[in-house]
Amino acid sequence: TWKRLDRAIGAMPTVIERIPNARLVIGGDGPLRKDLESQIEQLEVSEYVTLLGSIPHARVRELHNAADLFLTVQDLTNLGNQIMEAMHSRTCVIAYDIGGTQCVMRDDETGLLLTEDELGQLGERIAELFENDDRRQELAEGAFQFAQENIWFWDERLQAEIELVQDLVAKKRTG
């Protein structure tokens, strides 16, 4: 429930009203899929929303590269691999500013950070970015530059973590 995909789906009627060719593609799967499918039906946005299900990590970059916008509006934190991979892919990001998201994003520089009070305007904010290609590209470029300078790629971070754990285990053994 904390991933709040319902927020993204709930924004679609507003987005579609202004951007009729907009599409929402959701990767991942979980126990709320039936609830999300019901919401999609109730809002009559089934031709605009696609639930892909589980995505192999090898395909994530391809999906980010195909996207015009990456959206993450989770309740606990939006600081995770997904946002960093989107930034490395030069994808404009809209995120709910909670749980450390500001560690990788700067509002109006590397994407849009929404406060809790602004979540109700999610559809409008998405539509505004789709109506202003230059602004969306500027934010995407800012995200990419920040990522290049400050964030390792997923596989680089994973390798560094493995090496760190191996070093700790080796030190513990030699004690």
Side-chain angles (χ1 to χ4, degrees):
T1 58
W2 60 271
K3 290 193 175 184
R4 298 304 308 266
L5 297 171
D6 60 303
R7 286 181 175 141
I9 295 166
M12 286 306 288
T14 300
V15 174
I16 294 163
E17 185 177 307
R18 290 172 58 181
I19 315 295
N21 64 339
R23 299 294 182 267
L24 174 63
V25 178
I26 298 174
D29 214 348
L32 295 180
R33 185 180 181 111
K34 293 286 183 208
D35 294 338
L36 297 176
E37 289 170 343
S38 294
Q39 181 187 16
I40 291 165
E41 281 298 316
Q42 289 172 353
L43 293 175
E44 299 178 354
V45 295
S46 57
E47 69 181 274
Y48 304 96
V49 180
T50 302
L51 302 176
L52 294 177
S54 184
I55 305 293
H57 187 265
R59 213 169 148 229
V60 169
R61 188 173 291 167
E62 169 192 336
L63 292 170
H64 282 301
N65 287 336
D68 293 310
L69 183 69
F70 179 79
L71 180 64
T72 181
V73 287
Q74 301 179 58
D75 270 342
L76 299 179
T77 182
N78 291 293
L79 177 60
N81 287 333
Q82 316 92 309
I83 196 170
M84 292 182 251
E85 290 170 339
M87 293 171 74
H88 269 293
S89 296
R90 274 193 176 98
T91 305
C92 183
V93 176
I94 293 180
Y96 174 27
D97 185 10
I98 192 167
T101 310
Q102 287 185 18
C103 292
V104 296
M105 285 189 64
R106 306 290 178 261
D107 189 37
D108 275 338
E109 292 177 28
T110 64
L112 295 182
L113 284 171
L114 303 181
T115 65
E116 185 174 359
D117 293 340
E118 294 172 312
L119 286 173
Q121 302 165 8
L122 183 59
E124 290 88 1
R125 300 300 296 271
I126 293 169
E128 288 168 7
L129 283 176
F130 278 119
E131 291 170 339
N132 188 340
D133 289 338
D134 291 340
R135 181 70 178 134
R136 194 175 69 251
Q137 292 304 317
E138 178 184 311
L139 292 171
E141 189 60 34
F144 178 72
Q145 292 301 320
F146 181 87
Q148 292 293 299
E149 295 168 11
N150 299 286
I151 302 171
W152 287 346
F153 280 103
W154 179 84
D155 51 346
E156 293 171 325
R157 277 194 323 277
L158 185 60
Q159 186 59 42
E161 289 173 16
I162 290 169
E163 290 171 9
L164 179 61
V165 169
Q166 288 172 335
D167 288 346
L168 291 171
V169 169
K171 287 177 185 175
K172 182 78 171 170
R173 287 185 181 158
T174 60

